[in-house]
Each structure stands twice: as structure tokens, then as C-alpha cells.
Amino acid sequence: MVSAAEQLAANINWGAFGKAEELKKRIYFTLAALVIYRLGTYIPLPGIDPSVFEKSFTGNRQGVLELFNMFAGGAVQRMAIFALNIMPYISASIIIQMLTSVFPTLEALKKEGESGRKVINQYTRYLTVVLAAFQAYGISVGLEGQAGVVLEPGLFFRISTVLTLMGGTMFLMWLGEQITSRGIGNGSSLIIFAGIVAAFPSAIVNTLELGRQGAISTGLIIGVMVMSIGVVAFIVFMERAQRRVLITYPKRQQGNKIYEGQTSFLPLKLNTSGVIPPIFASSLLLLPVTIANFSQSQGGTGILAMVTTYLGHGRPLYMVAYVGLIVFFAFFYTAIVFNPTETADNLKKHGGFVPGIRPGERTAQYIDMILTRITVIGAAYLAVICLLPEMLISYAALPFYFGGTSLLIVVSVTMDTVAQIMGHLQAHQYEGLVKKSKLRGKRR
């Protein structure tokens, strides 16, 4: 079966790309914005010694810091002004989404359309400021606890750190919104995408260097490359996979005209939750390891040492907990972003129904049953994609950037961006045909 993206690509004249001036402006704007972001990841935080911090980071990089460093494109390792990246905004968006399904006031705002969406976006920005300030203060205290990192510890350093890191996050939030409105693709996703992709070349070079030194066999490197290609192809297939529910609309009469009944499909994605489950699962699992590593570096022992031993990468307990959290968040987040009852009510209002299923509550139960079944497959797919690279990382000491979460984000963002580019090309091609038909009409 040919996917919708393949059909769309087949119908587009790619030679029209050179004539699509609006699309080229959007692409250039997006690239310029991402270059600005990358430059900011190299500007160090005022009041610290970057070389001393990098040594401290290297000794504690097996925890959540390495995950955040991957998303931030190395900004955490350099303790740059964009060290928090856009993650507080992502976290705030997810929290607001969760609260929307709990509080009727927010749910009513969501149903108001564009005006309600603007209010919710404003709430998200306020929450981003709070989260960024809280995390920035924690970072300032943590930096002061590392010997030799902070040049002049004290209240002024904490205030300047909070303002700098919080300002960096707010700037990236604004930059992401500008990319979304004036560029191409989703701005927040592209910022994270740029951070991950920026580290790919060094990760590949390090892997090849390990092969040259004999630490990794040539066969293993070739096997990893083949596996990476296979994983990317599998991700593309699964992210495009849908379970389409047949919807029928009966005959309707407007005035003296009778319109025939129509049929359409309700597409249910196999992986409705996207990349959220692996990110949340990794963050929760790696946080205790990070705290334990810092505590050990300051002389802490006991239970924290056990945490590091049993929850490290490749450990059986880590693998089991990782899979369990991925499955939990896959179902949890799917239940938040997709409401079967609301979907069934909308179908009933517009006269649509599933053949053989009574409209209303029965339709909601039927959609919920299908969604539950495909989420089982989607959660299993996420667990396999994320678990396979983890085994390779622990077995062959491969770079962390080859993890399943990073590949999943890169492939998903690439597919979404390419789909938007193809949509713009198709719109440009359609506008060209309309103009040609008008010119022919005038000549006649």
C-alpha cells in the first residue's frame, strides 16, 4: 500500500522548487534561526570557569546530564547560556496538556478555538518562566557546590545565573515560535533536532577512532551501521502506520438539493504518544543516577552507590524499568491527547457514524477499544527501538547519541518537516495552475 506521503511526492513537480520563492524564504529563515541557536550553545555562562566545569561534567556524564546535553547540542557540557535549551517549554506544554484534561476551565478554553488557544499558550509561557527559573536556580546552587567552577560564589552569581539561563530559554521559545510561523516545520522540534544532529559527526568520528584503535571490531561497526539504517526504516514505517476507522455520513438535503451519502476514515496513529514516553522514561531513570554520581564525588556512599550500580546503562533492572516506564507513558499520554468520547460526540453532531456501531457512547467505546489495541503495538515498538541501542551502548561502549530516543526524534522531525515542504510545493504548484487557467480565460 502506498503511503499518503509517497502519493503526495509523486504528484509534485520537484522542478517547481526553484520557482517557489516563498518556500525558499521560509527555508532560509529556518536555517538562519538554527545557526543563531547553535552559536548560543558556545557562549559560556558568566562567572564560571568552563574548563573546570567540563572536567566535572565528564566525571558525571552517565546520568540525566548526558541526556539533556544531547538535547541541548552540547550546551550543558559547555555550560552555555542555552544550557536549559527549550526543555522547560516542552515540559510546560505537556503539563498544560495534562491539566487541560483535568480542569473543566482549561478544557472549555481549548474548545473556544483560536482565542482559547492563545490564552492556553500564554499560560504555557508563564509556566515555562517558573520551570526555567526553578531549574536555573538549582543549576546555580549545583555549580557553587563544585570546587573551582564558580569564580565568585554568592547571591549575585545565583541571580545572574537564573536570569541568564531563564533568558536563554525564553529566547529559544520565541525563536521556536518564529520558526513555526515564518519558517518551515515545528520550531521547538527543530531546535532539539539541530542539537542532536550537531553531535552526530563527532559521535561517528569517535566510533571510527575506537575501531582504528582496536577497541571495537570492524564487523561490529558495519553491523551497527546496517542496524541503524534498518532502525530508521522501521521507525518511518511505524510512524506512518495508521488504523483507519470507516466513517459513514448519510444522505442530507439542503433546500431542493439532495446530497448523496459519503464515506471517510478516522485515522488512528499506531504511535499516538510520539517521542514523549522515551524522553520521560529516560529522564526519570537517569535522575537518581545523576544525584548519586554527584553525591559520590562529594564523598557520599551507601544506598546511592547501590543506585549507581543497579540503575546504570545496560543493567537488567535499568532495562526492565525503562521498558515499563515507556509502556506506562505510552498509554498515559495517549489517553491525554486523544479523547474517544469527544471524537464520538463530534461525529454524532455532524451525522457521522461507524457502520454497525450505535452513535454516541457505543462509538466512543469502540474507538477506545481500537486505540487500546494499537497502543499496545505502539508501546512495544517504542520499547524495541529504545532497548536495542541501549544494549549496544552497554555491550560495545558506543556513543550515547546512537540511542533509540535520538534516532526517533531525528526521524520523526525529518518526516514532519519534509511533509510540510511537500505541502508548500503542492500549494505553489496549484497556485501556478490557477494563474495559468485565469490567463487563458482572459485571452479567450
Side-chain angles (χ1 to χ4, degrees):
M1 183 179 292
V2 180
S3 67
E6 291 171 345
Q7 291 177 354
L8 182 61
N11 294 330
I12 290 176
N13 178 16
W14 288 96
F17 181 81
K19 301 177 182 178
E21 296 297 330
E22 176 65 22
L23 176 60
K24 288 195 290 185
K25 288 179 181 179
R26 285 179 172 271
I27 293 176
Y28 294 151
F29 179 84
T30 302
L31 293 176
L34 293 179
V35 167
I36 293 173
Y37 157 65
R38 288 301 302 159
L39 290 175
T41 60
Y42 287 91
I43 302 174
L45 196 67
I48 68 167
D49 188 333
S51 59
V52 176
F53 174 79
E54 190 166 355
K55 291 178 183 178
S56 175
F57 177 86
T58 304
N60 299 283
R61 66 184 304 155
Q62 295 301 318
V64 75
L65 288 180
E66 180 66 10
L67 180 69
F68 290 159
N69 188 52
M70 178 186 71
F71 292 149
V76 177
Q77 184 175 357
R78 294 182 288 271
M79 193 42 66
I81 59 174
F82 290 161
L84 287 180
N85 201 261
I86 204 167
M87 296 309 292
Y89 178 65
I90 301 295
S91 301
S93 300
I94 295 170
I95 292 171
I96 292 295
Q97 277 186 328
M98 293 178 179
L99 293 178
T100 300
S101 60
V102 175
F103 292 100
T105 306
L106 291 176
E107 190 174 0
L109 280 174
K110 183 180 176 182
K111 294 179 180 179
E112 287 182 6
E114 184 65 21
S115 60
R117 187 182 65 82
K118 288 182 179 179
V119 175
I120 291 177
N121 287 344
Q122 199 63 26
Y123 289 159
T124 305
R125 295 188 185 101
Y126 293 149
L127 185 57
T128 301
V129 173
V130 174
L131 291 178
F134 178 76
Q135 292 178 21
Y137 182 78
I139 288 175
S140 67
V141 173
L143 289 174
E144 287 185 339
Q146 301 296 310
V149 173
V150 180
L151 301 178
E152 295 182 6
L155 182 61
F156 179 76
F157 171 76
R158 295 186 183 186
I159 294 175
S160 65
T161 299
V162 169
L163 291 177
T164 303
L165 292 178
M166 186 172 65
T169 295
M170 300 309 294
F171 175 77
L172 288 182
M173 182 187 70
W174 173 83
L175 192 66
E177 291 177 351
Q178 294 302 307
I179 292 174
T180 303
S181 60
R182 300 173 59 186
I184 196 79
N186 182 280
S188 302
S189 300
L190 281 172
I191 287 175
I192 298 176
F193 168 87
I196 295 174
V197 170
F200 271 3
S202 61
I204 294 172
V205 169
N206 291 338
T207 303
L208 295 177
E209 181 63 22
L210 289 174
R212 189 185 66 82
Q213 295 174 356
I216 300 177
S217 65
T218 305
L220 181 59
I221 293 177
I222 296 174
V224 168
M225 292 174 65
V226 173
M227 189 205 72
S228 299
I229 295 172
V231 167
V232 169
F234 183 56
I235 291 175
V236 171
F237 174 78
M238 295 298 285
E239 290 297 319
R240 291 294 183 192
Q242 295 177 346
R243 169 66 163 88
R244 299 196 295 177
V245 180
L246 180 65
I247 306 296
T248 302
Y249 293 90
K251 292 182 180 180
R252 56 191 178 89
Q253 182 175 356
Q254 286 187 353
N256 295 326
K257 292 184 178 181
I258 298 178
Y259 294 90
E260 291 292 329
Q262 297 178 346
T263 58
S264 64
F265 293 95
L266 175 65
L268 300 176
K269 284 191 65 177
L270 203 64
N271 179 29
T272 308
S273 56
V275 299
I276 298 300
I279 293 176
F280 271 36
S282 300
S283 301
L284 286 178
L285 278 178
L286 294 175
L287 186 60
V289 177
T290 306
I291 296 173
N293 286 338
F294 274 115
S295 299
Q296 284 181 358
S297 65
Q298 296 176 5
T301 55
I303 192 171
L304 295 176
M306 293 178 60
V307 169
T308 307
T309 302
Y310 290 107
L311 280 181
H313 274 299
R315 303 291 182 179
L317 182 59
Y318 175 86
M319 298 291 190
V320 173
Y322 193 37
V323 172
L325 286 173
I326 286 176
V327 173
F328 169 75
F329 282 119
F331 279 92
F332 181 73
Y333 196 69
T334 299
I336 290 174
V337 299
F338 192 94
N339 190 338
T341 303
E342 184 179 342
T343 303
D345 290 341
N346 290 334
L347 288 174
K348 188 176 181 181
K349 288 178 183 178
H350 293 88
F353 64 93
V354 179
I357 307 296
R358 186 178 299 174
E361 185 178 351
R362 290 290 180 86
T363 299
Q365 293 174 355
Y366 178 73
I367 295 174
D368 184 58
M369 178 191 67
I370 294 175
L371 195 63
T372 301
R373 290 179 177 177
I374 64 176
T375 302
V376 171
I377 302 174
Y381 142 72
L382 287 175
V384 169
I385 288 295
C386 295
L387 203 60
L388 219 67
E390 287 291 337
M391 292 178 178
L392 275 176
I393 290 168
S394 60
Y395 171 73
L398 291 174
F400 188 74
Y401 289 93
F402 289 134
T405 307
S406 58
L407 283 177
L408 191 63
I409 292 173
V410 169
V411 175
S412 300
V413 174
T414 301
M415 287 195 304
D416 291 340
T417 306
V418 169
Q420 285 201 27
I421 291 174
M422 290 194 296
H424 279 281
L425 282 174
Q426 191 181 44
H428 176 75
Q429 187 176 350
Y430 176 75
E431 289 175 1
L433 292 174
V434 171
K435 289 180 181 179
K436 287 181 180 179
S437 62
K438 288 182 177 180
L439 287 174
R440 288 174 185 173
K442 290 179 179 179
R443 289 172 183 174
R444 291 176 182 176

